[in-house]
Every structure is written in structure tokens, then in C-alpha cells.
Amino acid sequence: MHLLGGTHRHPHPDHSPGSQIPVVAVVALGGAVGALLRYSAGRIWRNGSDASLLWHQGTAAVPWTTLLVNVVGCFLMGVLTIALKERFTGAPRLLNPMLGTGVLGGFTTFSSYSDDTRRLIENGQPLTAVGYLFLTVAACMVGIVLGVAMTRLVLTGGVTENKHEGGA
């Protein structure tokens, strides 16, 4: 199954000739917005990434907030990929790096995911840590696949152009 079809219909801004300053600027701006959104998610649950006041389990809290942020970010990356590369192909060239690399890159958090896993191991919960590692990867993959599939269904009726001609 080819999830993204022929998504690369115009060159990536990083591969365009000319100054990269505008790309760097929109990524930095988007990153600041994403980081603020991530910080806000942690503030909703006063104990930050482990959200122990809402869903404490065992010695250390399972870091559900970090998991949720990463899954939502992956879902939104799936939405963004299809929206900009299949439906809104005329969107400004800087929109994808600003939203994808910037906002979603600043919002999602591999470093907290890794540190939360380390914390679970140090608290004597190695099985919980391993479960968290696998659950995060699986849930994020489901998130991005659902984002792609749902967006394609909504924006294109599920139909994609098949650029491959000829038979086997």
C-alpha cells in the first residue's frame, strides 16, 4: 500500500535555488509557536510531561501527556502532508516548512519521550518503560496513517492520481 501516492509535486523549499534565510526564519517562527503549544500542554497538567495528577500509576507516572502530544503531532503531520502536497499544491512554498518542521517539530518531543523512558527505568519500571517505547512508536504510526487516510478521504474523496502506467 502506497500511502502518499505522488505527493512530491513541487520542490521542497530547502532544495530551491536562492537564499535559505526565509526558510530558516519561518521554521524558527513555527518552532517557537510549536514549543509554546507543547509547553502549554504540559502546563494543563501541572506536573508537566508525566501528568501524574490526572493519571498516576505505580512508582512513576506513565508519561501520557508526552504520548498524546506526539500522537497528535503525527496525526497533524499526516493531515499537513496530504493537504499541502495533494490538495493545496499552490500553497506558499514556505507554509510546509513553517508548519511541518517548525510548528509540529516544536510541538512534538522526542527528547521528553526519551527522558520519560529513562525516568521509568530509573524508578524500577523497566517493563513499563519498554511498553511505553513500543506504544509510542505504534500510536504515532497509527496517528500519521489516520491523518493521511482521513485527510485524503475528506479532501479528495479517497482518490489519488496514479502516476504508474503500464502493467506487470
Side-chain angles (χ1 to χ4, degrees):
M1 179 167 84
H2 193 38
L3 292 174
L4 300 181
T7 58
H8 297 289
R9 300 200 178 149
H10 48 81
H12 190 279
D14 288 348
H15 306 145
S16 299
S19 174
Q20 293 301 305
I21 292 172
V23 177
V24 172
V26 298
V27 167
L29 176 65
V33 170
L36 286 171
L37 291 170
R38 170 65 182 96
Y39 176 76
S40 297
R43 297 296 291 174
I44 290 171
W45 300 284
R46 297 296 294 157
N47 202 18
S49 65
D50 66 3
S52 67
L53 296 177
L54 291 180
W55 29 44
H56 187 77
Q57 298 177 4
T59 306
V62 174
W64 295 110
T65 305
T66 302
L67 175 65
L68 181 63
V69 161
N70 287 333
V71 171
V72 168
C74 286
F75 176 82
L76 293 174
M77 184 60 79
V79 170
L80 180 69
T81 298
I82 298 307
L84 292 182
K85 306 242 180 198
E86 289 187 12
R87 177 66 172 91
F88 303 106
T89 57
R93 75 178 189 96
L94 297 176
L95 193 58
N96 190 38
M98 183 180 77
L99 296 177
T101 305
V103 174
L104 294 177
F107 179 64
T108 57
T109 174
F110 186 77
S111 58
S112 288
Y113 163 67
S114 301
D115 189 53
D116 289 338
T117 303
R118 175 206 51 81
R119 187 175 36 82
L120 288 168
I121 292 169
E122 285 183 358
N123 283 329
Q125 297 173 274
L127 293 177
T128 302
V130 170
Y132 173 65
L133 284 170
F134 286 110
L135 176 62
T136 297
V137 172
C140 286
M141 288 304 301
V142 167
I144 200 161
V145 168
L146 282 175
V148 165
M150 290 173 64
T151 304
R152 185 172 281 144
L153 183 65
V154 169
L155 294 180
T156 67
V159 179
T160 61
E161 291 180 25
N162 189 353
K163 301 254 180 187
H164 305 287
E165 294 182 19

